[in-house]
Amino acid sequence: LTASNITASGNIICNNISAYIPDEFMVAVSDELSDLTSGSNKVRFIFPFSITGSKLVSYVNTEPQGTDITSSVRIIGGNTISSSISPNQKSGSVDVTYYINKYQEVAVDINQVGGLITGKGLKLIFEGNRRI
């Protein structure tokens, strides 16, 4: 900090400073009432901020029975993260480090939807530290 960063009223001027704060972002992969179906590009979106991720959480309104629900998050130009929800559970999470830049495209594939009862209402929550 130098004298040129302090105004006459005592305010500090900060230029080109970055910091990280904990943040989350949730995206709906399906509607709430229909059975999930497997396939590629169930949702594609542009991430609204830069994040160093630490966890991906999957959540459904109707839990699967028989087999897991599995999905893959493809960070276009980056990693693919897999997530699953076990039978008779409404959520599952994976602790994984990933990086998504502001305005980077993300695609979600559903690989498996459950067995005896198909899950419904899939959402994904990206947790990590947001760059500000």
Side-chain angles (χ1 to χ4, degrees):
L1 188 62
T2 65
S4 64
N5 295 98
I6 302 174
T7 66
S9 59
N11 294 325
I12 299 173
I13 301 170
C14 298
N15 295 320
N16 299 321
I17 292 180
S18 4
Y20 292 88
I21 59 170
D23 208 344
E24 300 173 335
F25 180 76
M26 183 172 73
V27 63
V29 180
S30 70
D31 68 64
E32 298 297 311
L33 302 175
S34 302
D35 287 344
L36 295 175
T37 59
S38 60
S40 298
N41 298 314
K42 289 298 184 170
V43 67
R44 288 178 79 99
F45 61 97
I46 303 298
F47 213 82
F49 52 84
S50 294
I51 189 169
T52 300
S54 57
K55 182 180 279 196
L56 178 66
V57 179
S58 301
Y59 176 82
V60 287
N61 283 341
T62 301
E63 64 263 9
Q65 292 187 12
T67 58
D68 293 357
I69 292 173
T70 60
S71 60
S72 297
V73 174
R74 292 182 291 119
I75 302 165
I76 307 304
N79 297 347
T80 297
I81 307 164
S82 294
S83 176
S84 66
I85 301 172
S86 298
N88 304 314
Q89 300 294 314
K90 285 197 165 195
S91 66
S93 65
V94 60
D95 293 327
V96 61
T97 300
Y98 57 91
Y99 307 95
I100 305 175
N101 292 315
K102 185 174 185 175
Y103 305 133
Q104 190 167 9
E105 189 174 15
V106 176
V108 179
D109 305 333
I110 299 177
N111 307 314
Q112 188 171 293
V113 296
L116 302 172
I117 294 180
T118 301
K120 297 177 183 172
L122 178 62
K123 279 126 349 243
L124 297 174
I125 303 169
F126 297 81
E127 294 182 7
N129 290 306
R130 176 180 185 168
R131 184 175 181 185
I132 56 169

PDB file of all heavy atoms in Angstrom, residues 33-67:
ATOM      1  N   LEU A  33     -40.922 -33.468 -12.245  1.00  0.00           N
ATOM      2  CA  LEU A  33     -41.943 -34.512 -12.226  1.00  0.00           C
ATOM      3  C   LEU A  33     -41.685 -35.695 -13.145  1.00  0.00           C
ATOM      4  O   LEU A  33     -42.226 -36.771 -12.923  1.00  0.00           O
ATOM      5  CB  LEU A  33     -43.307 -33.894 -12.575  1.00  0.00           C
ATOM      6  CG  LEU A  33     -43.760 -32.757 -11.655  1.00  0.00           C
ATOM      7  CD1 LEU A  33     -45.047 -32.143 -12.162  1.00  0.00           C
ATOM      8  CD2 LEU A  33     -43.917 -33.244 -10.230  1.00  0.00           C
ATOM      9  N   SER A  34     -40.893 -35.517 -14.182  1.00  0.00           N
ATOM     10  CA  SER A  34     -40.673 -36.585 -15.163  1.00  0.00           C
ATOM     11  C   SER A  34     -39.565 -37.521 -14.711  1.00  0.00           C
ATOM     12  O   SER A  34     -38.606 -37.097 -14.054  1.00  0.00           O
ATOM     13  CB  SER A  34     -40.281 -35.991 -16.522  1.00  0.00           C
ATOM     14  OG  SER A  34     -41.272 -35.110 -16.982  1.00  0.00           O
ATOM     15  N   ASP A  35     -39.692 -38.801 -15.098  1.00  0.00           N
ATOM     16  CA  ASP A  35     -38.607 -39.750 -14.854  1.00  0.00           C
ATOM     17  C   ASP A  35     -37.362 -39.278 -15.584  1.00  0.00           C
ATOM     18  O   ASP A  35     -37.446 -38.796 -16.724  1.00  0.00           O
ATOM     19  CB  ASP A  35     -38.981 -41.138 -15.377  1.00  0.00           C
ATOM     20  CG  ASP A  35     -40.028 -41.846 -14.527  1.00  0.00           C
ATOM     21  OD1 ASP A  35     -40.254 -41.426 -13.379  1.00  0.00           O
ATOM     22  OD2 ASP A  35     -40.611 -42.833 -15.025  1.00  0.00           O
ATOM     23  N   LEU A  36     -36.205 -39.424 -14.941  1.00  0.00           N
ATOM     24  CA  LEU A  36     -34.946 -39.107 -15.605  1.00  0.00           C
ATOM     25  C   LEU A  36     -34.723 -40.076 -16.760  1.00  0.00           C
ATOM     26  O   LEU A  36     -35.130 -41.233 -16.688  1.00  0.00           O
ATOM     27  CB  LEU A  36     -33.772 -39.227 -14.625  1.00  0.00           C
ATOM     28  CG  LEU A  36     -33.742 -38.247 -13.465  1.00  0.00           C
ATOM     29  CD1 LEU A  36     -32.577 -38.586 -12.538  1.00  0.00           C
ATOM     30  CD2 LEU A  36     -33.631 -36.822 -13.964  1.00  0.00           C
ATOM     31  N   THR A  37     -34.085 -39.600 -17.805  1.00  0.00           N
ATOM     32  CA  THR A  37     -33.687 -40.443 -18.925  1.00  0.00           C
ATOM     33  C   THR A  37     -32.205 -40.231 -19.163  1.00  0.00           C
ATOM     34  O   THR A  37     -31.678 -39.140 -18.954  1.00  0.00           O
ATOM     35  CB  THR A  37     -34.473 -40.106 -20.216  1.00  0.00           C
ATOM     36  OG1 THR A  37     -34.251 -38.736 -20.547  1.00  0.00           O
ATOM     37  CG2 THR A  37     -35.964 -40.368 -20.031  1.00  0.00           C
ATOM     38  N   SER A  38     -31.541 -41.283 -19.584  1.00  0.00           N
ATOM     39  CA  SER A  38     -30.102 -41.161 -19.831  1.00  0.00           C
ATOM     40  C   SER A  38     -29.864 -40.483 -21.172  1.00  0.00           C
ATOM     41  O   SER A  38     -30.727 -40.485 -22.055  1.00  0.00           O
ATOM     42  CB  SER A  38     -29.428 -42.535 -19.793  1.00  0.00           C
ATOM     43  OG  SER A  38     -29.977 -43.366 -20.785  1.00  0.00           O
ATOM     44  N   GLY A  39     -28.699 -39.876 -21.316  1.00  0.00           N
ATOM     45  CA  GLY A  39     -28.320 -39.244 -22.568  1.00  0.00           C
ATOM     46  C   GLY A  39     -27.330 -38.117 -22.357  1.00  0.00           C
ATOM     47  O   GLY A  39     -27.069 -37.696 -21.227  1.00  0.00           O
ATOM     48  N   SER A  40     -26.792 -37.661 -23.464  1.00  0.00           N
ATOM     49  CA  SER A  40     -25.800 -36.577 -23.457  1.00  0.00           C
ATOM     50  C   SER A  40     -26.473 -35.224 -23.518  1.00  0.00           C
ATOM     51  O   SER A  40     -27.580 -35.091 -24.033  1.00  0.00           O
ATOM     52  CB  SER A  40     -24.867 -36.718 -24.657  1.00  0.00           C
ATOM     53  OG  SER A  40     -24.167 -37.932 -24.591  1.00  0.00           O
ATOM     54  N   ASN A  41     -25.766 -34.223 -23.008  1.00  0.00           N
ATOM     55  CA  ASN A  41     -26.198 -32.823 -23.105  1.00  0.00           C
ATOM     56  C   ASN A  41     -27.609 -32.595 -22.566  1.00  0.00           C
ATOM     57  O   ASN A  41     -28.403 -31.892 -23.179  1.00  0.00           O
ATOM     58  CB  ASN A  41     -26.095 -32.330 -24.545  1.00  0.00           C
ATOM     59  CG  ASN A  41     -24.680 -32.353 -25.051  1.00  0.00           C
ATOM     60  OD1 ASN A  41     -23.770 -31.915 -24.365  1.00  0.00           O
ATOM     61  ND2 ASN A  41     -24.479 -32.889 -26.246  1.00  0.00           N
ATOM     62  N   LYS A  42     -27.903 -33.157 -21.403  1.00  0.00           N
ATOM     63  CA  LYS A  42     -29.210 -32.932 -20.789  1.00  0.00           C
ATOM     64  C   LYS A  42     -29.402 -31.461 -20.451  1.00  0.00           C
ATOM     65  O   LYS A  42     -30.514 -30.957 -20.458  1.00  0.00           O
ATOM     66  CB  LYS A  42     -29.375 -33.792 -19.536  1.00  0.00           C
ATOM     67  CG  LYS A  42     -29.527 -35.264 -19.855  1.00  0.00           C
ATOM     68  CD  LYS A  42     -30.777 -35.477 -20.683  1.00  0.00           C
ATOM     69  CE  LYS A  42     -31.036 -36.927 -20.945  1.00  0.00           C
ATOM     70  NZ  LYS A  42     -32.362 -37.130 -21.529  1.00  0.00           N
ATOM     71  N   VAL A  43     -28.312 -30.804 -20.132  1.00  0.00           N
ATOM     72  CA  VAL A  43     -28.310 -29.350 -19.971  1.00  0.00           C
ATOM     73  C   VAL A  43     -26.898 -28.867 -20.307  1.00  0.00           C
ATOM     74  O   VAL A  43     -25.920 -29.550 -20.045  1.00  0.00           O
ATOM     75  CB  VAL A  43     -28.745 -28.931 -18.538  1.00  0.00           C
ATOM     76  CG1 VAL A  43     -27.740 -29.358 -17.498  1.00  0.00           C
ATOM     77  CG2 VAL A  43     -28.967 -27.434 -18.437  1.00  0.00           C
ATOM     78  N   ARG A  44     -26.844 -27.726 -20.973  1.00  0.00           N
ATOM     79  CA  ARG A  44     -25.575 -27.047 -21.269  1.00  0.00           C
ATOM     80  C   ARG A  44     -25.760 -25.602 -20.831  1.00  0.00           C
ATOM     81  O   ARG A  44     -26.791 -25.000 -21.087  1.00  0.00           O
ATOM     82  CB  ARG A  44     -25.253 -27.092 -22.763  1.00  0.00           C
ATOM     83  CG  ARG A  44     -24.840 -28.465 -23.248  1.00  0.00           C
ATOM     84  CD  ARG A  44     -24.582 -28.454 -24.749  1.00  0.00           C
ATOM     85  NE  ARG A  44     -23.280 -27.898 -25.071  1.00  0.00           N
ATOM     86  CZ  ARG A  44     -22.204 -28.628 -25.335  1.00  0.00           C
ATOM     87  NH1 ARG A  44     -22.253 -29.926 -25.314  1.00  0.00           N
ATOM     88  NH2 ARG A  44     -21.061 -28.040 -25.637  1.00  0.00           N
ATOM     89  N   PHE A  45     -24.745 -25.062 -20.190  1.00  0.00           N
ATOM     90  CA  PHE A  45     -24.861 -23.691 -19.712  1.00  0.00           C
ATOM     91  C   PHE A  45     -23.482 -23.063 -19.624  1.00  0.00           C
ATOM     92  O   PHE A  45     -22.464 -23.741 -19.694  1.00  0.00           O
ATOM     93  CB  PHE A  45     -25.567 -23.640 -18.337  1.00  0.00           C
ATOM     94  CG  PHE A  45     -24.843 -24.385 -17.242  1.00  0.00           C
ATOM     95  CD1 PHE A  45     -24.013 -23.715 -16.365  1.00  0.00           C
ATOM     96  CD2 PHE A  45     -25.003 -25.756 -17.102  1.00  0.00           C
ATOM     97  CE1 PHE A  45     -23.349 -24.392 -15.356  1.00  0.00           C
ATOM     98  CE2 PHE A  45     -24.342 -26.446 -16.089  1.00  0.00           C
ATOM     99  CZ  PHE A  45     -23.514 -25.763 -15.221  1.00  0.00           C
ATOM    100  N   ILE A  46     -23.466 -21.750 -19.465  1.00  0.00           N
ATOM    101  CA  ILE A  46     -22.247 -20.983 -19.296  1.00  0.00           C
ATOM    102  C   ILE A  46     -22.117 -20.671 -17.807  1.00  0.00           C
ATOM    103  O   ILE A  46     -23.045 -20.131 -17.201  1.00  0.00           O
ATOM    104  CB  ILE A  46     -22.293 -19.664 -20.110  1.00  0.00           C
ATOM    105  CG1 ILE A  46     -22.528 -19.954 -21.593  1.00  0.00           C
ATOM    106  CG2 ILE A  46     -21.031 -18.838 -19.883  1.00  0.00           C
ATOM    107  CD1 ILE A  46     -21.463 -20.770 -22.265  1.00  0.00           C
ATOM    108  N   PHE A  47     -20.967 -21.027 -17.212  1.00  0.00           N
ATOM    109  CA  PHE A  47     -20.779 -20.781 -15.779  1.00  0.00           C
ATOM    110  C   PHE A  47     -20.662 -19.277 -15.549  1.00  0.00           C
ATOM    111  O   PHE A  47     -19.930 -18.596 -16.252  1.00  0.00           O
ATOM    112  CB  PHE A  47     -19.541 -21.528 -15.261  1.00  0.00           C
ATOM    113  CG  PHE A  47     -19.695 -21.980 -13.847  1.00  0.00           C
ATOM    114  CD1 PHE A  47     -20.380 -23.151 -13.558  1.00  0.00           C
ATOM    115  CD2 PHE A  47     -19.184 -21.241 -12.799  1.00  0.00           C
ATOM    116  CE1 PHE A  47     -20.551 -23.585 -12.250  1.00  0.00           C
ATOM    117  CE2 PHE A  47     -19.344 -21.655 -11.487  1.00  0.00           C
ATOM    118  CZ  PHE A  47     -20.033 -22.831 -11.214  1.00  0.00           C
ATOM    119  N   PRO A  48     -21.362 -18.721 -14.547  1.00  0.00           N
ATOM    120  CA  PRO A  48     -21.433 -17.269 -14.394  1.00  0.00           C
ATOM    121  C   PRO A  48     -20.249 -16.623 -13.680  1.00  0.00           C
ATOM    122  O   PRO A  48     -20.166 -15.402 -13.632  1.00  0.00           O
ATOM    123  CB  PRO A  48     -22.710 -17.075 -13.578  1.00  0.00           C
ATOM    124  CG  PRO A  48     -22.827 -18.324 -12.779  1.00  0.00           C
ATOM    125  CD  PRO A  48     -22.283 -19.412 -13.658  1.00  0.00           C
ATOM    126  N   PHE A  49     -19.334 -17.404 -13.117  1.00  0.00           N
ATOM    127  CA  PHE A  49     -18.173 -16.836 -12.438  1.00  0.00           C
ATOM    128  C   PHE A  49     -17.054 -17.872 -12.422  1.00  0.00           C
ATOM    129  O   PHE A  49     -17.284 -19.045 -12.707  1.00  0.00           O
ATOM    130  CB  PHE A  49     -18.503 -16.372 -11.014  1.00  0.00           C
ATOM    131  CG  PHE A  49     -19.182 -17.404 -10.147  1.00  0.00           C
ATOM    132  CD1 PHE A  49     -18.445 -18.361  -9.454  1.00  0.00           C
ATOM    133  CD2 PHE A  49     -20.568 -17.421 -10.010  1.00  0.00           C
ATOM    134  CE1 PHE A  49     -19.066 -19.302  -8.645  1.00  0.00           C
ATOM    135  CE2 PHE A  49     -21.199 -18.355  -9.211  1.00  0.00           C
ATOM    136  CZ  PHE A  49     -20.442 -19.302  -8.529  1.00  0.00           C
ATOM    137  N   SER A  50     -15.848 -17.444 -12.093  1.00  0.00           N
ATOM    138  CA  SER A  50     -14.721 -18.370 -11.973  1.00  0.00           C
ATOM    139  C   SER A  50     -14.763 -19.039 -10.609  1.00  0.00           C
ATOM    140  O   SER A  50     -15.015 -18.387  -9.594  1.00  0.00           O
ATOM    141  CB  SER A  50     -13.393 -17.627 -12.118  1.00  0.00           C
ATOM    142  OG  SER A  50     -13.262 -17.110 -13.413  1.00  0.00           O
ATOM    143  N   ILE A  51     -14.512 -20.355 -10.589  1.00  0.00           N
ATOM    144  CA  ILE A  51     -14.546 -21.098  -9.328  1.00  0.00           C
ATOM    145  C   ILE A  51     -13.435 -22.147  -9.312  1.00  0.00           C
ATOM    146  O   ILE A  51     -13.132 -22.759 -10.336  1.00  0.00           O
ATOM    147  CB  ILE A  51     -15.920 -21.767  -9.117  1.00  0.00           C
ATOM    148  CG1 ILE A  51     -16.040 -22.357  -7.707  1.00  0.00           C
ATOM    149  CG2 ILE A  51     -16.201 -22.821 -10.170  1.00  0.00           C
ATOM    150  CD1 ILE A  51     -17.449 -22.807  -7.341  1.00  0.00           C
ATOM    151  N   THR A  52     -12.826 -22.278  -8.159  1.00  0.00           N
ATOM    152  CA  THR A  52     -11.973 -23.421  -7.871  1.00  0.00           C
ATOM    153  C   THR A  52     -12.847 -24.330  -7.029  1.00  0.00           C
ATOM    154  O   THR A  52     -13.101 -24.048  -5.855  1.00  0.00           O
ATOM    155  CB  THR A  52     -10.703 -23.011  -7.105  1.00  0.00           C
ATOM    156  OG1 THR A  52      -9.960 -22.088  -7.905  1.00  0.00           O
ATOM    157  CG2 THR A  52      -9.838 -24.220  -6.790  1.00  0.00           C
ATOM    158  N   GLY A  53     -13.353 -25.372  -7.652  1.00  0.00           N
ATOM    159  CA  GLY A  53     -14.319 -26.241  -6.994  1.00  0.00           C
ATOM    160  C   GLY A  53     -13.672 -27.250  -6.070  1.00  0.00           C
ATOM    161  O   GLY A  53     -12.533 -27.678  -6.288  1.00  0.00           O
ATOM    162  N   SER A  54     -14.432 -27.638  -5.050  1.00  0.00           N
ATOM    163  CA  SER A  54     -13.959 -28.637  -4.098  1.00  0.00           C
ATOM    164  C   SER A  54     -14.959 -29.777  -3.912  1.00  0.00           C
ATOM    165  O   SER A  54     -14.610 -30.821  -3.382  1.00  0.00           O
ATOM    166  CB  SER A  54     -13.678 -27.988  -2.747  1.00  0.00           C
ATOM    167  OG  SER A  54     -14.841 -27.341  -2.265  1.00  0.00           O
ATOM    168  N   LYS A  55     -16.206 -29.579  -4.348  1.00  0.00           N
ATOM    169  CA  LYS A  55     -17.238 -30.603  -4.160  1.00  0.00           C
ATOM    170  C   LYS A  55     -18.313 -30.437  -5.228  1.00  0.00           C
ATOM    171  O   LYS A  55     -18.618 -29.318  -5.644  1.00  0.00           O
ATOM    172  CB  LYS A  55     -17.864 -30.466  -2.776  1.00  0.00           C
ATOM    173  CG  LYS A  55     -18.919 -31.519  -2.465  1.00  0.00           C
ATOM    174  CD  LYS A  55     -19.504 -31.343  -1.073  1.00  0.00           C
ATOM    175  CE  LYS A  55     -18.540 -31.972  -0.086  1.00  0.00           C
ATOM    176  NZ  LYS A  55     -19.130 -32.211   1.231  1.00  0.00           N
ATOM    177  N   LEU A  56     -18.868 -31.565  -5.651  1.00  0.00           N
ATOM    178  CA  LEU A  56     -20.035 -31.570  -6.525  1.00  0.00           C
ATOM    179  C   LEU A  56     -21.102 -32.391  -5.835  1.00  0.00           C
ATOM    180  O   LEU A  56     -20.858 -33.541  -5.446  1.00  0.00           O
ATOM    181  CB  LEU A  56     -19.692 -32.174  -7.885  1.00  0.00           C
ATOM    182  CG  LEU A  56     -20.846 -32.271  -8.875  1.00  0.00           C
ATOM    183  CD1 LEU A  56     -21.324 -30.880  -9.293  1.00  0.00           C
ATOM    184  CD2 LEU A  56     -20.441 -33.090 -10.089  1.00  0.00           C
ATOM    185  N   VAL A  57     -22.277 -31.810  -5.623  1.00  0.00           N
ATOM    186  CA  VAL A  57     -23.385 -32.474  -4.947  1.00  0.00           C
ATOM    187  C   VAL A  57     -24.503 -32.721  -5.952  1.00  0.00           C
ATOM    188  O   VAL A  57     -24.870 -31.819  -6.707  1.00  0.00           O
ATOM    189  CB  VAL A  57     -23.922 -31.623  -3.772  1.00  0.00           C
ATOM    190  CG1 VAL A  57     -25.092 -32.309  -3.088  1.00  0.00           C
ATOM    191  CG2 VAL A  57     -22.818 -31.306  -2.779  1.00  0.00           C
ATOM    192  N   SER A  58     -25.027 -33.940  -5.972  1.00  0.00           N
ATOM    193  CA  SER A  58     -26.187 -34.293  -6.784  1.00  0.00           C
ATOM    194  C   SER A  58     -27.378 -34.456  -5.845  1.00  0.00           C
ATOM    195  O   SER A  58     -27.235 -35.003  -4.746  1.00  0.00           O
ATOM    196  CB  SER A  58     -25.971 -35.621  -7.509  1.00  0.00           C
ATOM    197  OG  SER A  58     -24.858 -35.566  -8.339  1.00  0.00           O
ATOM    198  N   TYR A  59     -28.546 -34.011  -6.298  1.00  0.00           N
ATOM    199  CA  TYR A  59     -29.747 -34.095  -5.469  1.00  0.00           C
ATOM    200  C   TYR A  59     -30.942 -34.398  -6.361  1.00  0.00           C
ATOM    201  O   TYR A  59     -31.055 -33.853  -7.459  1.00  0.00           O
ATOM    202  CB  TYR A  59     -29.969 -32.769  -4.718  1.00  0.00           C
ATOM    203  CG  TYR A  59     -31.246 -32.771  -3.919  1.00  0.00           C
ATOM    204  CD1 TYR A  59     -31.295 -33.352  -2.656  1.00  0.00           C
ATOM    205  CD2 TYR A  59     -32.412 -32.231  -4.441  1.00  0.00           C
ATOM    206  CE1 TYR A  59     -32.478 -33.379  -1.929  1.00  0.00           C
ATOM    207  CE2 TYR A  59     -33.598 -32.260  -3.725  1.00  0.00           C
ATOM    208  CZ  TYR A  59     -33.625 -32.837  -2.475  1.00  0.00           C
ATOM    209  OH  TYR A  59     -34.793 -32.879  -1.762  1.00  0.00           O
ATOM    210  N   VAL A  60     -31.846 -35.269  -5.887  1.00  0.00           N
ATOM    211  CA  VAL A  60     -33.095 -35.557  -6.604  1.00  0.00           C
ATOM    212  C   VAL A  60     -34.275 -35.442  -5.657  1.00  0.00           C
ATOM    213  O   VAL A  60     -34.136 -35.588  -4.442  1.00  0.00           O
ATOM    214  CB  VAL A  60     -33.092 -36.978  -7.234  1.00  0.00           C
ATOM    215  CG1 VAL A  60     -32.184 -37.049  -8.429  1.00  0.00           C
ATOM    216  CG2 VAL A  60     -32.745 -38.045  -6.221  1.00  0.00           C
ATOM    217  N   ASN A  61     -35.448 -35.187  -6.234  1.00  0.00           N
ATOM    218  CA  ASN A  61     -36.683 -35.172  -5.436  1.00  0.00           C
ATOM    219  C   ASN A  61     -37.186 -36.587  -5.169  1.00  0.00           C
ATOM    220  O   ASN A  61     -37.715 -36.862  -4.104  1.00  0.00           O
ATOM    221  CB  ASN A  61     -37.773 -34.374  -6.145  1.00  0.00           C
ATOM    222  CG  ASN A  61     -37.559 -32.899  -6.010  1.00  0.00           C
ATOM    223  OD1 ASN A  61     -36.842 -32.443  -5.133  1.00  0.00           O
ATOM    224  ND2 ASN A  61     -38.166 -32.129  -6.881  1.00  0.00           N
ATOM    225  N   THR A  62     -37.065 -37.469  -6.159  1.00  0.00           N
ATOM    226  CA  THR A  62     -37.453 -38.871  -6.013  1.00  0.00           C
ATOM    227  C   THR A  62     -36.200 -39.714  -6.070  1.00  0.00           C
ATOM    228  O   THR A  62     -35.484 -39.701  -7.080  1.00  0.00           O
ATOM    229  CB  THR A  62     -38.422 -39.297  -7.132  1.00  0.00           C
ATOM    230  OG1 THR A  62     -39.584 -38.470  -7.082  1.00  0.00           O
ATOM    231  CG2 THR A  62     -38.821 -40.754  -6.985  1.00  0.00           C
ATOM    232  N   GLU A  63     -35.908 -40.447  -4.990  1.00  0.00           N
ATOM    233  CA  GLU A  63     -34.679 -41.229  -4.948  1.00  0.00           C
ATOM    234  C   GLU A  63     -34.799 -42.474  -5.831  1.00  0.00           C
ATOM    235  O   GLU A  63     -35.894 -43.013  -6.009  1.00  0.00           O
ATOM    236  CB  GLU A  63     -34.316 -41.617  -3.518  1.00  0.00           C
ATOM    237  CG  GLU A  63     -35.302 -42.508  -2.840  1.00  0.00           C
ATOM    238  CD  GLU A  63     -36.281 -41.768  -1.953  1.00  0.00           C
ATOM    239  OE1 GLU A  63     -36.329 -40.537  -1.965  1.00  0.00           O
ATOM    240  OE2 GLU A  63     -37.022 -42.454  -1.243  1.00  0.00           O
ATOM    241  N   PRO A  64     -33.672 -42.896  -6.389  1.00  0.00           N
ATOM    242  CA  PRO A  64     -33.671 -44.097  -7.221  1.00  0.00           C
ATOM    243  C   PRO A  64     -33.789 -45.353  -6.354  1.00  0.00           C
ATOM    244  O   PRO A  64     -33.422 -45.333  -5.184  1.00  0.00           O
ATOM    245  CB  PRO A  64     -32.295 -44.041  -7.900  1.00  0.00           C
ATOM    246  CG  PRO A  64     -31.427 -43.361  -6.890  1.00  0.00           C
ATOM    247  CD  PRO A  64     -32.320 -42.341  -6.237  1.00  0.00           C
ATOM    248  N   GLN A  65     -34.306 -46.398  -6.959  1.00  0.00           N
ATOM    249  CA  GLN A  65     -34.298 -47.702  -6.296  1.00  0.00           C
ATOM    250  C   GLN A  65     -33.752 -48.720  -7.279  1.00  0.00           C
ATOM    251  O   GLN A  65     -34.015 -48.639  -8.473  1.00  0.00           O
ATOM    252  CB  GLN A  65     -35.690 -48.081  -5.809  1.00  0.00           C
ATOM    253  CG  GLN A  65     -36.154 -47.201  -4.674  1.00  0.00           C
ATOM    254  CD  GLN A  65     -37.459 -47.653  -4.074  1.00  0.00           C
ATOM    255  OE1 GLN A  65     -37.939 -48.745  -4.334  1.00  0.00           O
ATOM    256  NE2 GLN A  65     -38.053 -46.798  -3.252  1.00  0.00           N
ATOM    257  N   GLY A  66     -32.969 -49.645  -6.789  1.00  0.00           N
ATOM    258  CA  GLY A  66     -32.391 -50.688  -7.630  1.00  0.00           C
ATOM    259  C   GLY A  66     -30.946 -50.415  -7.995  1.00  0.00           C
ATOM    260  O   GLY A  66     -30.074 -51.214  -7.720  1.00  0.00           O
ATOM    261  N   THR A  67     -30.687 -49.277  -8.622  1.00  0.00           N
ATOM    262  CA  THR A  67     -29.317 -48.901  -8.998  1.00  0.00           C
ATOM    263  C   THR A  67     -29.112 -47.402  -8.797  1.00  0.00           C
ATOM    264  O   THR A  67     -30.067 -46.659  -8.577  1.00  0.00           O
ATOM    265  CB  THR A  67     -29.002 -49.252 -10.479  1.00  0.00           C
ATOM    266  OG1 THR A  67     -29.934 -48.578 -11.317  1.00  0.00           O
ATOM    267  CG2 THR A  67     -29.077 -50.751 -10.740  1.00  0.00           C
TER     268      THR A  67
END
